[in-house]
Amino acid sequence: MALTRTAGAVTPAPAGARERGRRPARRRERTALLPTAILLLGAVYCLLPVVWVLTASTKDNAQLFNTFTFEPNGSLWSNVRSLSAYAGGVYWHWMANTALYAGGGALLSTVVSALTGFALAKYRFRGRSLLFNLLLAGVMVPPVVLALPQYLLMSKVGLVGSYWSVLLLSVLSPYGIYLARIYSMSAVPDEVIQAARVDGCPERKLITRIAVPMMVPGLVTVFLFQFVAVWNNFLLPFIMLSDENKFPLTVGLYTLLNRGSTAPALYSLVVTGSLLSIVPLVILFLVLQRYWRTDLAAGSVK
Amino acid sequence: MTNPSRVRPAWGARTRTAPRLAPYVCVTPAVVLFVLFLLLPIGYALFMSFQKSQVSGLGLGAGARRQVFAGLSNYATELTDAAFTSSLLRVVIYSVILVPVMLGLALLFALLLDARRVRLQRFSRLAIFLPYAVPTVIASLLWGFMYLPTVSPFPPVLARLGLTMPNLFTTHVALLSVANIGVWGGTGFNMIVLYTSLRSVPAELYEAARIDGASQTQIALRIKIPMIAPALVLTGVFSVIATLQVFNEPQTLAPLTNTISPDWMPLMRVYDLAFNDNDVYGAAALSMMIAVVMFILSYSLLRVSNRRVFQGR
């Protein structure tokens, strides 16, 4: 127990947003109008497509083409129903697949990143810096360059087109390992490790019972970054999968749009599908706001 | 034992009790994945880039196509291909437009979030970061629809002002239209990174300047920006690397316009070659060239900022 409390003290303070509001100097100063206006303009620009998809998805196909798209109509529910009915409900397959790829991939990725990051930060072993440099170099390999040979190799072992072809390739995250390494450096004090060893704690227990629990806040961040990365991934599933029932949302909606260019009747389905596809991530992002710790990445720059 | 100047005392103390096997067990999964899904594919792509398919006889039957050594011919073919060189030029222009605009906006917003007397900061921070939660394919879909005159909300608004909407998919404008999606999607994330490093600058630094009568703008230009220069360099490096790999945005917009050809950007060309033209050998050679360029670029860019970035913590 005492050990965990030490960790709390070492854990970097959460992003400064909250203490900002409490700063007494901020009482009631005159509002700087122009800077506030510029900032708001940025916010409007960023919200524009989101507001558009909200209103556009309330339109049936005729309204989509004939009415001002920022003016809401009442067809959202019927759009959702025709989207659900499209090709035997394939849209919800895509949604479930995306959750599987992103959730499963990110979970496995977090475990691998935690172990590797911890080892790189806290052990001294032969090949440590070689491994770290190789992993860093791995960040720089463009995914497309890998995607083609990965596809060819996957087809050699007969995995192309399976869930595994996407899932297995979503596990290794050099960036996640890098974050886990930085985080375990600051969150797991050397003294704690030594004290555990002096007390005769076996190494496996030291990692699973002491180190990993101390790293949890950072690991949530690693999980979220990888979750978003897999959720956003298009190229890999686009190349690997051919069965519509295994598509994630990105590939599914892309093919739907592709069909829409010859059958514009599908456009309202694409719009509604786009809206529904961003809802889970936006919720996740708002609920877990405090875990979007970009300062972990920026921490190395301080 | 080891050179004492290179080893922090804590390390020396730990090595005495640290078990030898544990670190290797920990890194095994990552190493296995790294070898299987990174090293092996790269090696395989390298091998394939020196191969070609040769048709013997009439080219009929399973044994008619053989894979033979091709030397550098795949590389030569691709390098002299006009479509590839023009896509290369296009991606460089794209990056030169996108990165400064995106980082400029990210820096401006980060400074505004950090400034005094600016209101609605919390709301704006959330709103500007929101596009990060939208997959690039979906973002491209949304912007793509907003670019299409038939469904776009802009023409009625512009008509009121007596303007007409320009065609956003002409040869030159299309690049800007795609870049806008990149700016939209990337500004928020970079803003947060810059804002976070602004927050870590000690406030005392500003107090002295303020007492001396420096304006907010002066403080921003003379103190804040130099203090977060390392973060700016790092976000710049990663942005350049990411923009040169652009694929999702133009690929998604392609069904909406003929301007965006299947080989519009270098990575689209790789895909097109491998999966539409069935020339995996040429595609492999192209991949290798792109990988080498990327690697040299990122390595040299990172070296510039290396000392500040990877030391310290």
Side-chain angles (χ1 to χ4, degrees):
Chain A
M1 279 328 271
L3 300 181
T4 10
R5 233 173 285 138
T6 329
V10 180
T11 309
R18 251 163 281 138
E19 73 223 25
R20 209 323 171 222
R22 287 191 203 128
R23 204 191 272 177
R26 232 193 118 185
R27 278 165 282 129
R28 279 297 337 155
E29 292 173 303
R30 203 163 41 83
T31 300
L33 283 179
L34 184 64
T36 306
I38 294 173
L39 197 58
L40 267 182
L41 210 61
V44 168
Y45 166 67
C46 288
L47 289 177
L48 195 68
V50 180
V51 173
W52 181 84
V53 75
L54 267 173
T55 54
S57 57
T58 63
K59 293 170 181 297
D60 64 33
N61 221 41
Q63 289 162 337
L64 185 64
F65 287 97
N66 297 325
T67 59
F68 182 50
T69 38
F70 274 134
E71 184 190 313
N73 290 81
S75 306
L76 177 62
W77 184 237
S78 73
N79 280 341
V80 173
R81 281 192 18 211
S82 35
L83 181 67
S84 305
Y86 178 75
V90 76
Y91 181 83
W92 297 106
H93 264 282
W94 298 340
M95 185 74 95
N97 292 339
T98 308
L100 172 76
Y101 294 134
L107 197 66
L108 290 172
S109 180
T110 308
V111 173
V112 172
S113 299
L115 288 176
T116 318
F118 177 75
L120 285 172
K122 295 292 173 184
Y123 290 110
R124 203 157 169 72
F125 55 97
R126 280 174 69 93
R128 185 178 73 110
S129 55
L130 174 73
L131 181 62
F132 183 61
N133 287 330
L134 272 177
L135 287 170
L136 267 190
V139 181
M140 295 167 199
V141 181
V144 153
V145 172
L146 287 174
L148 172 66
Q150 280 171 342
Y151 169 82
L152 296 172
L153 289 170
M154 279 286 181
S155 71
K156 285 212 161 169
V157 291
L159 280 177
V160 156
S162 68
Y163 281 107
W164 289 111
S165 63
V166 175
L167 210 50
L168 282 175
L169 292 172
S170 307
V171 176
L172 182 71
S173 160
Y175 184 59
I177 293 172
Y178 176 66
L179 286 186
R181 175 176 167 273
I182 292 177
Y183 195 76
S184 47
M185 275 180 173
S186 63
V188 189
D190 292 342
E191 298 76 38
V192 172
I193 296 177
Q194 287 213 296
R197 283 194 189 131
V198 169
D199 289 348
C201 175
E203 212 62 18
R204 191 173 54 81
K205 257 190 167 172
L206 168 75
I207 294 168
T208 56
R209 297 281 172 79
I210 299 172
V212 169
M214 282 174 149
M215 290 164 68
V216 162
L219 293 182
V220 175
T221 308
V222 170
F223 176 86
L224 285 176
F225 275 122
Q226 186 66 6
F227 187 87
V228 172
V230 183
W231 188 284
N232 289 351
N233 202 345
F234 170 68
L235 184 73
L236 180 71
F238 183 51
I239 285 182
M240 291 290 175
L241 305 173
S242 50
D243 176 5
E244 206 172 56
N245 284 315
K246 289 179 182 156
F247 282 174
L249 283 166
T250 48
V251 181
L253 286 169
Y254 171 81
T255 51
L256 205 55
L257 177 75
N258 234 329
R259 269 173 229 157
S261 58
T262 48
L266 291 173
Y267 277 174
S268 64
L269 294 189
V270 180
V271 171
T272 311
S274 302
L275 173 71
L276 295 181
S277 78
I278 58 176
V279 169
L281 219 53
V282 169
I283 290 176
L284 186 78
F285 154 89
L286 290 175
V287 171
L288 296 176
Q289 231 191 99
R290 70 195 183 94
Y291 288 106
W292 292 105
R293 296 275 309 279
T294 49
D295 57 324
L296 263 186
S300 57
V301 191
K302 270 181 204 163
Chain B
M1 224 175 82
T2 20
N3 180 359
S5 66
R6 293 187 58 202
V7 178
R8 301 201 311 245
W11 283 121
R14 194 174 317 112
T15 19
R16 260 179 271 133
T17 44
R20 284 158 194 280
L21 200 60
Y24 294 104
V25 175
C26 285
V27 301
T28 299
V31 169
V32 170
L33 291 167
F34 188 83
V35 170
L36 276 184
F37 299 133
L38 222 123
L39 281 189
L40 194 64
I42 291 178
Y44 190 61
L46 188 66
F47 167 74
M48 293 291 274
S49 71
F50 293 114
Q51 301 287 310
K52 66 180 174 191
S53 153
Q54 198 173 56
V55 183
S56 58
L58 289 171
L60 301 171
R65 281 176 178 277
R66 281 190 310 129
Q67 196 172 301
V68 293
F69 183 68
L72 289 168
S73 67
N74 290 327
Y75 290 87
T77 313
E78 291 314 316
L79 273 178
T80 51
D81 185 88
F84 175 59
T85 38
S86 63
S87 75
L88 209 56
L89 184 67
R90 195 173 288 122
V91 81
V92 170
I93 298 173
Y94 173 78
S95 186
V96 166
I97 296 171
L98 197 161
V99 175
V101 172
M102 179 178 72
L103 287 186
L105 284 176
L107 178 63
L108 174 69
F109 295 145
L111 287 169
L112 290 174
L113 289 182
D114 194 55
R116 295 151 57 93
R117 303 197 290 115
V118 176
R119 308 290 162 202
L120 295 165
Q121 285 172 324
R122 200 179 139 73
F123 164 75
S124 304
R125 186 165 51 100
L126 270 180
I128 299 173
F129 189 42
L130 189 70
Y132 176 68
V134 180
T136 45
V137 170
I138 309 296
S140 311
L141 279 173
L142 300 185
W143 280 106
F145 278 125
M146 289 168 70
Y147 292 159
L148 275 186
T150 44
V151 283
S152 173
F154 301 131
V157 178
L158 290 171
R160 290 226 168 156
L161 303 169
L163 302 166
T164 50
M165 188 162 98
N167 183 350
L168 295 171
F169 287 127
T170 59
T171 316
H172 296 292
V173 180
L175 200 60
L176 296 179
S177 304
V178 176
N180 173 57
I181 303 173
V183 170
W184 185 77
T187 299
F189 181 80
N190 288 302
M191 173 192 79
I192 295 290
V193 172
L194 296 176
Y195 174 66
T196 314
S197 67
L198 271 177
R199 303 292 318 169
S200 69
V201 177
E204 301 86 66
L205 273 177
Y206 311 141
E207 296 302 330
R210 201 174 296 142
I211 290 164
D212 287 348
S215 71
Q216 287 282 310
T217 322
Q218 281 173 323
I219 292 177
L221 290 177
R222 303 272 175 81
I223 302 176
K224 290 186 177 177
I225 294 180
M227 284 302 286
I228 60 164
L232 265 173
V233 172
L234 197 70
T235 49
V237 172
F238 284 120
S239 303
V240 169
I241 296 170
T243 51
L244 292 179
Q245 298 180 41
V246 61
F247 178 84
N248 293 0
E249 295 93 337
Q251 185 77 23
T252 311
L253 289 183
L256 299 175
T257 169
N258 290 327
T259 308
I260 300 176
S261 56
D263 50 13
W264 205 61
M265 288 291 182
L267 295 195
M268 293 172 74
R269 169 97 182 129
V270 174
Y271 178 83
D272 188 42
L273 212 52
F275 294 97
N276 296 334
D277 298 349
N278 284 318
D279 179 9
V280 286
Y281 310 101
L286 206 54
S287 303
M288 290 320 294
M289 285 192 281
I290 294 173
V292 169
V293 171
M294 289 288 172
F295 200 81
I296 293 173
L297 194 73
S298 14
Y299 186 75
S300 43
L301 283 173
L302 275 178
R303 252 193 101 92
V304 174
S305 54
N306 193 26
R307 220 180 314 149
R308 283 175 170 182
V309 176
F310 293 114
Q311 277 186 1
R313 287 277 212 93

